[in-house]
Amino acid sequence: MISVEQALEKILTYVDILEEEEKPILDCLGQVLAEDIYSSIDVPPLDNAAMDGYAVRSRDTRGASRESPRFLPVIGMVAAGSISERELELGTAIRIMTGAPIPKGTDSVVRFEDTDELLRRGSSISQQLPTEIGILCEAEAGLNIRRAGEDITKGSIVLSKGVVIRPSEVGVLASLGHSKVMVIRRPVMAILATGDELVDINQPLPLGKIYNSNTYSVAALVLRYGGIPRILGIALDSEDSLVAKLRQGLDADMLITTGGVSAGDYDVVKDILAKEGEIAFWTVRMKPEKPLAFGTIRGSSKAGIVRNIPHLGLPGNPVSSMVTFELFVRPAILKMMGKKNLAKPTIDAVLEDSVVNSDGRRILARAVVKEHDGKYFARLTGPQGSGILTSMSLANGLVIIPEDKEEVAAGDVVQVMMLDWSEE
Ligand code: AMP
Ligand code: MG
């Protein structure tokens, strides 16, 4: 038996960071940037007003107060998106809107609230210019002015290679006028379910059969972590069926099969996989489910080049296939995508149940984690059979009981791998 860490380490040596591709920025969410992004412009491009108000010279406001306003003639107006036709002359003001470039000669913007604008107009802000404006406070130089390049200076590096693209990075790229960007491509993950008992969803369910759920839970996990699922369907527990289905997925970046890896009579997956490539069968010191197949299959790239595709054979039990995916497939996807942090977020929580660990395996128990007064509490979801898929649906985390702990009592602090920090 090998440990979870040993299994993961081995799997990760078989996958590598994928190639780069150029894509529209909105299609890159969650992908890793493959180039340094420099700015060819200042953002904002020009000094501009941070408030609606009046562009003035600060020294023309000296001594101004609510009791004794300084009155300045208004010589023009400038809206966002346009440039003032007039320079600010000594002893004058220009009405200015937020975001508008400040007229030449301006060193300060006095917001409407610090002028008698509202008194003059009541509450309605019309486009009509007053002939003069009363300034009600002294303005220091630089007041309410956003400087050119304050956010980004021309020529500077804005985003570095390796950064994960989130909505803010999409926004930053847009602010520089980039419509496309180089990122590490997403891995294509071929998914094959095996088992004579399986029926695809949207078919009637004959007696003795079950619906194929693994393909869909695994494909959903692939999507969640940024991969592209390629569903190969269901292979029967026969050599011909398995080989025929496998062949359809040989240009993928990784092949995931579910089922057929235990020691049962009909578990032909292991025999075929051994013929079609190189395969190792591992018993991983964990619960749920220990058997895992791992190896490579001879395939070819899109360009027709022969290559070995990493293959992971997950256990057939619906809970086990999801849990082993989280432990072993997720990090492989992230590595292929160029990500550095491969670990799922883990927290400390007070366990509200007791768990007995009789055979020295690492237990990953489905649990609901709740926060109370700044502390986390984990309660098991009930029966932990590895066929009870609804227990995965109830859970938002997996409580980790170390292999060397024979018992964890209620009230003990345990580590929980969070499956979900859902906001919904
Ligand atoms: P196996 O590893 O093939 O022996 O499968 C273990 C258990 O998981 C059996 O009860 C199977 O019926 C079940 N199982 C295998 N594959 C699937 C699947 N794709 N969807 C739902 N259950 C499955
Ligand atoms: Mg089977």
Side-chain angles (χ1 to χ4, degrees):
M1 272 208 266
I2 62 175
S3 69
V4 171
E5 283 73 22
Q6 285 168 324
L8 178 59
E9 201 187 311
K10 179 88 174 168
I11 290 165
L12 290 178
T13 61
Y14 278 81
V15 294
D16 231 328
I17 182 165
L18 299 173
E19 312 87 68
E20 301 164 9
E21 61 179 352
E22 190 178 41
K23 283 171 75 178
I25 54 173
L26 207 47
D27 295 342
C28 297
L29 205 60
Q31 283 179 272
V32 170
L33 192 62
E35 59 177 334
D36 288 332
I37 301 289
Y38 291 87
S39 180
S40 58
I41 53 170
D42 276 330
V43 180
L46 298 170
D47 292 350
N48 67 91
M51 297 287 247
D52 293 336
Y54 283 86
V56 297
R57 287 172 202 259
S58 53
R59 68 182 134 128
D60 291 337
T61 68
R62 227 167 270 159
S65 68
R66 286 189 185 261
E67 294 71 40
S68 90
R70 285 292 313 264
F71 293 98
L72 300 173
V74 178
I75 61 163
M77 130 110 193
V78 54
S82 52
I83 301 282
S84 176
E85 285 160 12
R86 301 196 56 174
E87 288 184 17
L88 187 75
E89 290 150 23
L90 259 180
T92 66
I94 291 178
R95 198 160 183 270
I96 192 164
M97 296 300 132
T98 304
I102 56 170
K104 213 163 170 207
T106 306
D107 72 354
S108 161
V109 171
V110 180
R111 54 183 194 147
F112 284 153
E113 293 86 334
D114 294 325
T115 68
D116 61 3
E117 168 91 7
L118 291 182
L119 283 180
R120 282 170 195 271
R121 291 163 184 275
S123 57
S124 75
I125 309 272
S126 81
Q127 290 298 311
Q128 216 198 331
L129 275 184
T131 51
E132 63 164 16
I133 191 73
I135 306 291
L136 308 181
C137 69
E138 279 194 0
E140 80 268 20
L143 180 73
N144 295 326
I145 293 177
R146 300 192 286 222
R147 292 295 170 196
E150 172 182 288
D151 186 1
I152 298 166
T153 7
K154 184 174 170 175
S156 66
I157 186 164
V158 187
L159 297 173
S160 303
K161 201 173 162 167
V163 155
V164 178
I165 307 218
R166 302 167 305 162
S168 13
E169 282 70 35
V170 172
V172 168
L173 288 164
S175 75
L176 301 176
H178 282 254
S179 60
K180 288 184 174 173
V181 78
M182 296 296 293
V183 288
I184 307 296
R185 73 172 175 85
R186 302 176 183 281
V188 175
M189 308 289 286
I191 302 164
L192 179 61
T194 71
D196 287 347
E197 73 280 30
L198 301 178
V199 172
D200 202 1
I201 53 177
N202 75 39
Q203 298 291 319
L205 190 65
L207 204 62
K209 307 280 184 186
I210 59 168
Y211 281 123
N212 165 23
S213 62
N214 288 351
T215 289
Y216 297 94
S217 52
V218 166
L221 286 166
V222 167
L223 281 173
R224 170 182 242 187
Y225 296 126
I228 302 168
R230 162 101 57 82
I231 294 178
L232 302 181
I234 301 167
L236 301 177
D237 292 318
S238 78
E239 213 174 303
D240 291 350
S241 172
L242 200 61
V243 171
K245 291 281 181 190
L246 269 182
R247 296 245 154 95
Q248 294 166 21
L250 293 186
D251 60 349
D253 296 298
M254 191 164 186
L255 172 68
I256 305 295
T257 55
T258 64
V261 288
S262 42
D265 289 349
Y266 297 99
D267 294 324
V268 293
V269 170
K270 50 184 185 295
D271 307 329
I272 302 312
L273 293 177
K275 270 195 213 164
E276 298 285 315
E278 255 180 69
I279 193 101
F281 291 90
W282 299 335
T283 310
V284 182
R285 206 178 302 132
M286 62 178 280
K287 209 169 161 179
E289 203 94 347
K290 314 167 274 185
L292 204 65
F294 180 68
T296 56
I297 302 256
R298 281 183 294 280
S300 64
S301 68
K302 281 199 190 84
I305 299 161
V306 176
R307 55 186 260 281
N308 291 326
I309 304 162
H311 163 237
L312 197 55
L314 304 182
N317 270 313
V319 171
S320 310
S321 60
M322 290 194 79
V323 171
T324 47
F325 187 107
E326 295 280 4
L327 293 183
F328 305 116
V329 187
R330 177 183 180 272
I333 292 178
L334 299 187
K335 183 174 176 189
M336 286 190 271
M337 290 183 74
K339 300 203 176 174
K340 296 281 180 293
N341 180 11
L342 307 184
K344 195 88 182 155
T346 300
I347 57 158
D348 285 339
V350 177
L351 188 63
E352 295 186 328
D353 308 85
S354 62
V355 178
V356 176
N357 189 4
S358 50
D359 56 0
R361 290 194 269 161
R362 182 173 312 176
I363 299 180
L364 294 139
R366 281 137 271 160
V368 182
V369 176
K370 285 195 175 142
E371 195 244 34
H372 185 68
D373 283 346
K375 255 186 167 179
Y376 291 109
F377 294 85
R379 177 174 287 280
L380 302 190
T381 54
Q384 296 283 318
S386 49
I388 303 174
L389 191 53
T390 48
S391 66
M392 265 317 257
S393 173
L394 293 174
N396 62 353
L398 296 172
V399 165
I400 303 169
I401 310 290
E403 34 279 71
D404 56 2
K405 272 254 159 108
E406 280 174 18
E407 190 180 355
V408 180
D412 285 355
V413 173
V414 289
Q415 280 210 311
V416 187
M417 180 198 265
M418 293 308 292
L419 296 173
D420 217 355
W421 286 102
S422 180
E423 295 160 29
E424 290 106 50

